[in-house]
């Protein structure tokens, strides 16, 4: 059986948990990572060069990097819109997965870290990247298409955390109606609620 090393309150692990539920793949969770109850970082470093979660083991194969794990697991599942067979279909999704990791999430992560250290943090680049997201969501109901794909799962923790900012009454957030509608659409997915919105602060 597939083994996932990680923790439920990690954004990068949460994406993997959502996908596994979406494709109906059973797995065993080995608690690992900060605050998971298992502080055995040495065991983690034997599995991955960077000592970060998530890590998965499928038979003899061990791999890491959450988006790469998403692609690996989806490639082993029956074909569907989530991760289609053809190169063009995959590239349409993959570019948004990269964008979510490289452009959408980092300004938000920097803001969250600054605030947890008591600083104000820089909200402007967060707003900039979420405006770009809103622009894309004016074109399609989900990030890469009119159906749920791997890119929505990859972006979900950041989308949820934008919602937390908005709900906390953050000043100066622009009105992003397409993003609001998208968040409501995601909230209709039980696996999103279970693994993302209820699990991540
Ligand atoms: N780029 C990596 C980042 C992995 C990462 O930073 N994981 C965090 C949790 S979200 C972590 O391992 N933090 C330290 C810990 O939990 O011990 C990925 O997407 O998998």
């Amino acid at each position: 059986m597939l083994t996932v090393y990680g923790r439920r309150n990690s954004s990068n692990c949460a994406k993997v948990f959502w996908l596994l539920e979406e494709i109906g793949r059973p797995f065993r969770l080995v608690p690992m990572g900060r605050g998971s109850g298992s502080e055995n970082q040495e065991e983690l470093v034997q599995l991955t060069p960077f000592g970060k979660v998530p890590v998965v083991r499928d038979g003899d194969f061990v791999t890491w990097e959450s988006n790469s794990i998403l692609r690996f697991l989806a490639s082993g599942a029956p074909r569907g819109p989530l991760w289609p067979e053809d190169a063009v279909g995959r590239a349409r999704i993959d570019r948004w997965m990269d964008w979510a990791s490289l452009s959408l999430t980092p300004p938000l992560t920097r803001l969250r870290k600054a605030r947890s250290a008591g600083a104000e943090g820089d909200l402007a680049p967060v707003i900039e990247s979420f405006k770009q997201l809103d622009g894309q969501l004016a074109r399609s109901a989900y990030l890469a298409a009119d159906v749920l794909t791997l890119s929505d799962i990859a972006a979900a923790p950041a989308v949820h955390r934008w919602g937390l900012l908005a709900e906390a009454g953050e000043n100066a957030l622009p009105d992003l109606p397409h993003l609001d509608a998208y968040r409501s659409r995601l909230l209709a997915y039980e696996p999103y609620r279970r693994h993302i919105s209820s699990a991540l602060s």
Side-chain angles (χ1 to χ4, degrees):
M1 182 186 293
L2 185 83
T3 304
V4 179
Y5 302 86
R7 52 187 172 89
R8 294 278 178 189
N9 62 351
S10 139
S11 55
N12 289 304
C13 297
K15 300 188 285 187
V16 174
F17 297 137
W18 180 5
L19 175 64
L20 286 168
E21 182 164 346
E22 204 66 46
I23 62 178
R25 177 130 185 217
F27 66 98
R28 177 177 78 101
L29 173 62
V30 176
M32 199 75 80
R34 189 171 4 100
S36 66
S38 156
E39 297 298 338
N40 193 347
Q41 284 301 116
E42 274 182 22
E43 192 181 338
L44 197 53
V45 170
Q46 280 164 17
L47 295 167
T48 158
F50 308 114
K52 300 277 189 190
V53 291
V55 176
V56 301
R57 179 191 293 280
D58 189 13
D60 292 338
F61 180 58
V62 174
T63 196
W64 36 270
E65 272 301 327
S66 56
N67 283 1
S68 175
I69 292 171
L70 294 182
R71 286 185 286 265
F72 170 67
L73 295 173
S75 298
R79 288 287 72 78
L82 206 57
W83 188 235
E85 186 69 56
D86 64 298
V88 169
R90 286 188 175 187
R92 286 199 170 111
I93 295 165
D94 215 9
R95 62 194 180 187
W96 287 108
M97 294 176 78
D98 279 5
W99 179 80
S101 290
L102 297 169
S103 299
L104 182 70
T105 304
L108 186 57
T109 304
R110 282 194 292 275
L111 179 74
R112 288 164 45 82
K113 280 191 178 152
R115 290 197 171 170
S116 65
E120 195 184 339
D122 195 358
L123 185 60
V126 178
I127 291 177
E128 195 50 43
S129 58
F130 278 83
K131 272 186 180 168
Q132 291 169 349
L133 176 60
D134 189 68
Q136 172 60 10
L137 292 168
R139 290 185 275 271
S140 55
Y142 292 86
L143 195 41
D146 281 326
V147 289
L148 188 86
T149 72
L150 273 198
S151 60
D152 299 292
I153 296 180
V159 169
H160 164 62
R161 284 171 170 164
W162 169 269
L164 294 181
L165 277 184
E167 281 152 24
E170 177 75 38
N171 281 332
L173 288 192
D175 189 23
L176 300 177
H178 307 291
L179 177 56
D180 287 346
Y182 174 65
R183 282 176 48 219
S184 304
R185 236 169 266 136
L186 291 180
L187 279 164
Y189 284 85
E190 201 177 321
Y192 172 86
R193 295 199 302 275
R194 191 176 356 264
H195 303 296
I196 306 288
S197 64
S198 305
L200 302 180
S201 55

